[in-house]
Amino acid sequence: QKEVEQNSGPLSVPEGAIASLNCTYSDRVSQSFFWYRQYSGKSPELIMSIYSNGDKEDGRFTAQLNKASQYVSLLIRDSQPSDSATYLCAVITGSARQLTFGSGTQLTVLP
Amino acid sequence: EAQVTQNPRYLITVTGKKLTVTCSQNMNHEYMSWYRQDPGLGLRQIYYSMNVEVTDKGDVPEGYKVSRKEKRNFPLILESPSPNQTSLYFCASSGGNTDTQYFGPGTRLTVL
Protein backbone atom coordinates (compact mmCIF):
# COMPACT_ATOMS: atom_id res chain seq x y z
CA GLN A 1 0.00 0.00 0.00
CA LYS A 2 1.55 3.25 -1.13
CA GLU A 3 1.40 5.87 1.55
CA VAL A 4 2.78 9.33 2.07
CA GLU A 5 2.54 10.98 5.46
CA GLN A 6 3.25 14.56 6.43
CA ASN A 7 3.75 16.08 9.85
CA SER A 8 0.44 17.25 11.19
CA GLY A 9 -0.24 20.94 11.14
CA PRO A 10 -1.09 23.62 11.19
CA LEU A 11 2.37 25.10 11.50
CA SER A 12 2.92 28.74 12.42
CA VAL A 13 6.25 30.55 12.21
CA PRO A 14 7.15 34.23 12.56
CA GLU A 15 8.25 36.19 9.53
CA GLY A 16 11.95 35.69 8.82
CA ALA A 17 12.15 32.32 10.58
CA ILE A 18 12.87 28.91 9.07
CA ALA A 19 9.85 26.69 8.37
CA SER A 20 10.52 22.95 8.40
CA LEU A 21 8.11 20.56 6.69
CA ASN A 22 8.52 16.80 6.88
CA CYS A 23 7.28 13.81 4.92
CA THR A 24 7.75 10.06 5.10
CA TYR A 25 6.81 7.48 2.50
CA SER A 26 6.25 3.76 2.74
CA ASP A 27 7.25 2.42 -0.69
CA ARG A 28 10.99 1.70 -0.77
CA VAL A 29 11.15 1.76 -4.58
CA SER A 30 9.88 5.34 -4.81
CA GLN A 31 12.08 7.28 -7.19
CA SER A 32 10.83 10.84 -7.54
CA PHE A 33 9.82 13.27 -4.85
CA PHE A 34 8.07 16.60 -5.08
CA TRP A 35 6.95 19.49 -2.95
CA TYR A 36 3.94 21.44 -4.15
CA ARG A 37 2.45 24.61 -2.68
CA GLN A 38 -1.30 25.12 -2.79
CA TYR A 39 -3.16 28.29 -1.92
CA SER A 40 -6.77 27.87 -0.87
CA GLY A 41 -8.99 27.02 -3.84
CA LYS A 42 -6.07 27.07 -6.27
CA SER A 43 -4.17 24.34 -8.06
CA PRO A 44 -0.96 22.79 -6.71
CA GLU A 45 2.16 24.60 -7.85
CA LEU A 46 5.51 22.83 -8.03
CA ILE A 47 8.18 24.19 -5.69
CA MET A 48 10.88 21.55 -5.76
CA SER A 49 11.62 18.13 -7.16
CA ILE A 50 14.35 15.87 -5.80
CA TYR A 51 15.57 12.51 -7.01
CA SER A 52 18.90 11.82 -5.23
CA ASN A 53 19.90 11.59 -1.60
CA GLY A 54 21.09 14.83 -0.09
CA ASP A 55 20.10 18.47 -0.32
CA LYS A 56 18.80 20.50 -3.21
CA GLU A 57 18.57 24.26 -2.89
CA ASP A 58 16.54 26.74 -4.91
CA GLY A 59 16.48 30.25 -3.56
CA ARG A 60 14.94 30.21 -0.08
CA PHE A 61 13.84 26.59 -0.44
CA THR A 62 15.89 23.49 0.36
CA ALA A 63 14.64 19.96 -0.16
CA GLN A 64 16.34 17.11 1.65
CA LEU A 65 16.01 13.43 0.73
CA ASN A 66 17.10 10.37 2.70
CA LYS A 67 16.05 7.21 0.89
CA ALA A 68 17.41 4.90 3.59
CA SER A 69 15.10 6.53 6.13
CA GLN A 70 12.33 7.05 3.53
CA TYR A 71 12.19 10.69 4.50
CA VAL A 72 11.95 13.93 2.56
CA SER A 73 11.77 17.44 3.97
CA LEU A 74 11.41 21.02 2.84
CA LEU A 75 13.03 23.98 4.56
CA ILE A 76 11.88 27.51 3.85
CA ARG A 77 14.37 30.13 4.97
CA ASP A 78 13.45 33.75 5.69
CA SER A 79 9.76 32.84 5.67
CA GLN A 80 7.42 35.48 4.29
CA PRO A 81 3.66 35.97 4.83
CA SER A 82 3.23 35.11 1.13
CA ASP A 83 4.57 31.62 1.94
CA SER A 84 1.39 30.95 3.93
CA ALA A 85 -0.23 28.03 2.11
CA THR A 86 -0.67 24.28 2.26
CA TYR A 87 2.43 22.32 1.32
CA LEU A 88 1.95 18.95 -0.31
CA CYS A 89 4.53 16.20 -0.40
CA ALA A 90 4.16 13.86 -3.39
CA VAL A 91 5.94 10.67 -4.39
CA ILE A 92 6.08 8.78 -7.68
CA THR A 93 6.53 5.04 -7.78
CA GLY A 94 6.87 2.60 -10.63
CA SER A 95 6.58 2.82 -14.39
CA ALA A 96 2.99 4.05 -14.25
CA ARG A 97 4.23 7.38 -12.80
CA GLN A 98 1.41 7.33 -10.26
CA LEU A 99 1.75 10.37 -8.03
CA THR A 100 0.65 9.85 -4.43
CA PHE A 101 0.13 12.89 -2.24
CA GLY A 102 0.35 13.40 1.46
CA SER A 103 -2.52 15.14 3.19
CA GLY A 104 -0.61 18.43 3.31
CA THR A 105 0.71 20.72 6.02
CA GLN A 106 -0.86 24.14 6.40
CA LEU A 107 1.78 26.80 7.02
CA THR A 108 1.04 30.26 8.38
CA VAL A 109 3.80 32.88 8.46
CA LEU A 110 2.96 35.57 10.98
CA PRO A 111 3.99 39.16 10.17
CA GLU B 1 2.34 29.81 -22.85
CA ALA B 2 2.68 26.21 -21.66
CA GLN B 3 -0.43 25.31 -19.75
CA VAL B 4 -3.12 22.84 -18.77
CA THR B 5 -6.66 24.13 -19.20
CA GLN B 6 -9.90 22.81 -17.79
CA ASN B 7 -13.50 23.64 -18.55
CA PRO B 8 -15.81 24.46 -16.99
CA ARG B 9 -14.19 26.00 -13.91
CA TYR B 10 -17.39 25.83 -11.93
CA LEU B 11 -20.38 23.58 -12.43
CA ILE B 12 -23.57 22.98 -10.48
CA THR B 13 -25.67 20.09 -11.71
CA VAL B 14 -28.28 17.59 -10.54
CA THR B 15 -28.05 13.91 -9.79
CA GLY B 16 -28.03 11.72 -12.87
CA LYS B 17 -27.38 14.37 -15.51
CA LYS B 18 -24.37 13.31 -17.56
CA LEU B 19 -21.52 15.78 -17.71
CA THR B 20 -18.04 16.08 -19.17
CA VAL B 21 -15.13 18.11 -17.82
CA THR B 22 -12.57 18.84 -20.49
CA CYS B 23 -8.81 18.96 -20.02
CA SER B 24 -6.30 20.08 -22.60
CA GLN B 25 -2.53 20.60 -22.55
CA ASN B 26 -0.28 22.29 -25.09
CA MET B 27 3.04 20.79 -23.97
CA ASN B 28 2.88 17.58 -26.03
CA HIS B 29 2.91 15.58 -22.80
CA GLU B 30 2.36 11.84 -22.96
CA TYR B 31 1.03 11.47 -19.42
CA MET B 32 -2.23 12.94 -18.21
CA SER B 33 -4.17 12.38 -15.03
CA TRP B 34 -7.30 13.36 -13.13
CA TYR B 35 -7.46 13.98 -9.37
CA ARG B 36 -10.17 14.92 -6.96
CA GLN B 37 -9.53 16.86 -3.79
CA ASP B 38 -11.76 16.66 -0.75
CA PRO B 39 -11.28 18.18 2.72
CA GLY B 40 -9.46 15.78 4.99
CA LEU B 41 -8.80 13.30 2.18
CA GLY B 42 -6.27 15.22 0.12
CA LEU B 43 -5.65 14.70 -3.58
CA ARG B 44 -6.61 11.30 -4.93
CA GLN B 45 -6.02 10.01 -8.43
CA ILE B 46 -9.11 9.02 -10.43
CA TYR B 47 -7.70 7.90 -13.79
CA TYR B 48 -4.50 8.34 -15.70
CA SER B 49 -3.29 7.94 -19.27
CA MET B 50 0.24 7.15 -20.32
CA ASN B 51 -0.42 7.95 -23.97
CA VAL B 52 -3.10 8.04 -26.66
CA GLU B 53 -5.60 5.20 -26.26
CA VAL B 54 -3.87 4.03 -23.05
CA THR B 55 -5.81 4.69 -19.85
CA ASP B 56 -5.90 3.05 -16.45
CA LYS B 57 -7.67 3.35 -13.12
CA GLY B 58 -6.24 5.32 -10.26
CA ASP B 59 -7.27 5.03 -6.62
CA VAL B 60 -10.89 6.23 -6.89
CA PRO B 61 -12.25 5.42 -10.39
CA GLU B 62 -15.81 4.43 -9.48
CA GLY B 63 -18.42 6.57 -11.21
CA TYR B 64 -16.00 8.10 -13.71
CA LYS B 65 -14.91 7.41 -17.28
CA VAL B 66 -12.14 8.88 -19.38
CA SER B 67 -10.93 8.75 -22.95
CA ARG B 68 -7.69 9.68 -24.67
CA LYS B 69 -8.28 9.92 -28.39
CA GLU B 70 -5.82 12.76 -28.92
CA LYS B 71 -2.58 13.48 -27.13
CA ARG B 72 -3.61 16.93 -25.96
CA ASN B 73 -7.09 16.10 -24.56
CA PHE B 74 -8.19 13.96 -21.64
CA PRO B 75 -11.87 14.50 -20.78
CA LEU B 76 -13.44 13.24 -17.54
CA ILE B 77 -16.96 11.89 -17.94
CA LEU B 78 -19.52 11.46 -15.18
CA GLU B 79 -22.34 9.48 -16.78
CA SER B 80 -24.67 9.61 -13.76
CA PRO B 81 -23.31 12.07 -11.21
CA SER B 82 -24.17 11.65 -7.56
CA PRO B 83 -23.81 14.06 -4.62
CA ASN B 84 -20.71 12.18 -3.35
CA GLN B 85 -18.92 13.33 -6.51
CA THR B 86 -19.15 16.93 -5.34
CA SER B 87 -15.50 17.89 -5.20
CA LEU B 88 -12.66 19.96 -6.62
CA TYR B 89 -11.18 18.28 -9.69
CA PHE B 90 -7.72 18.77 -11.14
CA CYS B 91 -6.23 17.61 -14.39
CA ALA B 92 -2.44 17.27 -14.66
CA SER B 93 0.11 16.35 -17.29
CA SER B 94 3.75 15.42 -17.54
CA GLY B 95 6.11 14.43 -20.29
CA GLY B 96 9.54 14.44 -21.82
CA ASN B 97 12.26 13.22 -19.49
CA THR B 98 10.61 14.47 -16.29
CA ASP B 99 7.98 13.08 -13.94
CA THR B 100 6.93 16.54 -12.84
CA GLN B 101 3.18 16.95 -13.16
CA TYR B 102 1.70 20.33 -14.02
CA PHE B 103 -1.81 21.03 -12.87
CA GLY B 104 -4.75 22.76 -14.46
CA PRO B 105 -6.68 25.47 -12.59
CA GLY B 106 -9.31 23.10 -11.22
CA THR B 107 -13.04 22.51 -11.68
CA ARG B 108 -15.35 22.90 -8.73
CA LEU B 109 -18.27 20.54 -9.19
CA THR B 110 -21.43 20.50 -7.10
CA VAL B 111 -23.97 17.72 -7.61
CA LEU B 112 -27.35 18.41 -6.01
Side-chain angles (χ1 to χ4, degrees):
Chain A
Q1 175 73 20
K2 290 174 255 186
E3 191 172 299
V4 179
E5 295 190 10
Q6 297 185 235
N7 52 327
S8 59
L11 175 66
S12 293
V13 300
E15 184 173 357
I18 296 175
S20 177
L21 305 165
N22 303 313
C23 174
T24 59
Y25 58 94
S26 61
D27 192 335
R28 286 194 170 274
V29 300
S30 296
Q31 300 155 358
S32 307
F33 308 86
F34 305 88
W35 284 100
Y36 285 85
R37 177 175 62 197
Q38 187 177 28
Y39 295 109
S40 181
K42 303 295 186 182
S43 59
E45 171 193 10
L46 180 72
I47 297 177
M48 297 277 286
S49 59
I50 187 166
Y51 304 94
S52 305
N53 280 329
D55 294 359
K56 179 181 179 182
E57 186 174 318
D58 184 0
R60 296 185 295 111
F61 299 96
T62 299
Q64 300 172 317
L65 175 61
N66 184 326
K67 290 186 179 180
S69 300
Q70 296 175 239
Y71 174 90
V72 59
S73 66
L74 180 70
L75 299 177
I76 307 174
R77 290 182 300 281
D78 188 23
S79 295
Q80 301 297 308
S82 59
D83 294 327
S84 299
T86 297
Y87 289 79
L88 303 168
C89 173
V91 176
I92 282 186
T93 307
S95 59
R97 299 190 197 174
Q98 188 165 9
L99 190 62
T100 301
F101 284 87
S103 57
T105 299
Q106 185 176 345
L107 172 67
T108 301
V109 180
L110 304 170
Chain B
E1 180 189 357
Q3 60 183 352
V4 180
T5 57
Q6 295 179 226
N7 282 292
R9 295 289 313 281
Y10 303 90
L11 179 60
I12 300 174
T13 189
V14 296
T15 298
K17 186 176 181 181
K18 182 179 178 179
L19 65 92
T20 299
V21 183
T22 65
C23 172
S24 184
Q25 50 91 8
N26 62 0
M27 297 171 279
N28 200 36
H29 283 169
E30 296 85 15
Y31 186 94
M32 298 185 74
S33 181
W34 277 103
Y35 299 87
R36 62 177 289 174
Q37 187 172 35
D38 303 288
L41 296 176
L43 275 157
R44 295 176 293 167
Q45 190 178 53
I46 303 170
Y47 268 95
Y48 65 94
S49 170
M50 297 190 73
N51 216 322
V52 176
E53 301 292 1
V54 180
T55 63
D56 208 346
K57 297 177 180 178
D59 296 321
V60 288
E62 294 77 21
Y64 304 95
K65 286 177 58 176
V66 293
S67 70
R68 187 91 182 273
K69 294 183 170 57
E70 306 165 282
K71 199 172 188 180
R72 64 182 292 123
N73 296 323
F74 189 44
L76 180 69
I77 303 158
L78 285 73
E79 297 221 326
S80 184
S82 61
N84 64 11
Q85 293 178 297
T86 292
S87 187
L88 180 58
Y89 291 86
F90 291 104
C91 180
S93 73
S94 67
N97 59 0
T98 174
D99 285 335
T100 301
Q101 291 192 19
Y102 297 94
F103 284 78
T107 296
R108 187 168 292 280
L109 172 66
T110 301
V111 183
L112 302 174

